[in-house]
Amino acid sequence: MTRFSVNDRPVEYRMDPETPLLWALRDASNLTGTKYGCGTGDCGACTVDIDGEAIRSCLVTIAECEGRFVTTIEGLSRDRSHPVQQAWVAEQVPQCGFCQSGMIMSAAALLRANSNPSDAEVDAAMTGICRCGTYPRIRTAIRLAGRVIRGEERIAAAPPPGIRPEDAARAVPALRPPRGS
C-alpha cells in the first residue's frame, strides 16, 4: 500500500507500487483531467504537481510518491479561479483541449516559482506538446497570469461554474449574441 496526498486529501492505493501515478489517478481515483498522451514523458499531457514541481505522471510510480503531495488539474482550483486557468480562458488558448491540463499544471508550477519568467524560462518550463500549435497563446496566457499573480492586472474572463447560459451572456460580453440577430 502506498500513502500520499492527492489534491490535499490523504489517499492509500492498494495497487502494485510500480503502477504509474497516471493510472492510479485516472483509474483508482477517477481524476481523468490528467491525460494519457504518450506514456514516455514526451508530450506532457499527464503533468501534475508533485511537491511544487511539474512532473510527468506517466514516469513516476506510486511508490515514488509515498509521503508526497500531488496536485492534479482538478485540485488546482475547484472553481477554475486560478490565475492560469482564468488566463487560459481569457486568451482563448484551448482548441482540442487534450494538452491543456498538463500545460496549465506546468505553467502554474512555473509561476509559483517565478511570477515574471523570461522567455527562456517559459521555454524551459513549457516542454509539453500542443498538437494544435497554440504556443503563442500559451505564452501570452502565462504572461497575463503572471501579471495577475503580481497584482498588476485583473482578468474579466469566464463566468464561475454553475452559471446559467443566459446569465453568462450578460456577464461575459463575448458570449452575447450579435446585435440584430
Side-chain angles (χ1 to χ4, degrees):
M1 285 184 282
T2 54
R3 295 182 179 118
F4 50 96
S5 292
V6 175
N7 298 335
D8 295 323
R9 294 181 180 194
V11 296
E12 181 178 65
Y13 290 112
R14 294 179 181 159
M15 304 171 81
D16 181 342
E18 295 305 307
T19 301
L21 175 61
L22 170 65
W23 299 117
L25 294 171
R26 290 185 59 81
D27 295 345
S29 295
N30 199 32
L31 295 170
T32 58
T34 303
K35 304 297 182 198
Y36 171 76
C38 65
T40 60
D42 294 317
C43 75
C46 68
T47 301
V48 297
D49 181 303
I50 301 178
D51 293 336
E53 186 179 349
I55 302 285
R56 303 302 213 274
S57 65
C58 70
L59 296 179
V60 62
T61 67
I62 58 174
E64 293 171 296
C65 293
E66 183 81 30
R68 299 178 79 183
F69 292 88
V70 176
T71 304
T72 68
I73 190 72
E74 293 90 348
L76 185 62
S77 171
R78 301 219 186 271
D79 64 357
R80 297 187 298 260
S81 63
H82 189 281
V84 174
Q85 291 170 308
Q86 289 293 305
W88 240 246
V89 173
E91 295 300 329
Q92 300 178 8
V93 174
Q95 282 191 10
C96 81
F98 196 79
C99 71
Q100 298 309 302
S101 60
M103 292 285 195
I104 288 170
M105 295 306 292
S106 293
L110 166 66
L111 293 172
R112 187 178 319 100
N114 178 2
S115 66
N116 194 14
S118 67
D119 285 344
E121 290 167 321
V122 170
D123 292 345
M126 303 302 295
T127 58
I129 296 171
C130 174
R131 293 180 270 185
C132 300
T134 63
Y135 301 107
R137 290 187 295 210
I138 290 170
R139 182 181 301 278
T140 301
I142 291 170
R143 295 263 179 256
L144 174 57
R147 291 191 303 274
V148 170
I149 290 167
R150 294 189 308 272
E152 298 170 4
E153 194 167 332
R154 295 190 68 200
I155 299 175
I163 193 168
R164 296 181 336 198
E166 56 273 15
D167 292 337
R170 284 190 288 278
V172 181
L175 296 177
R176 292 184 189 136
R179 289 195 171 118
S181 61

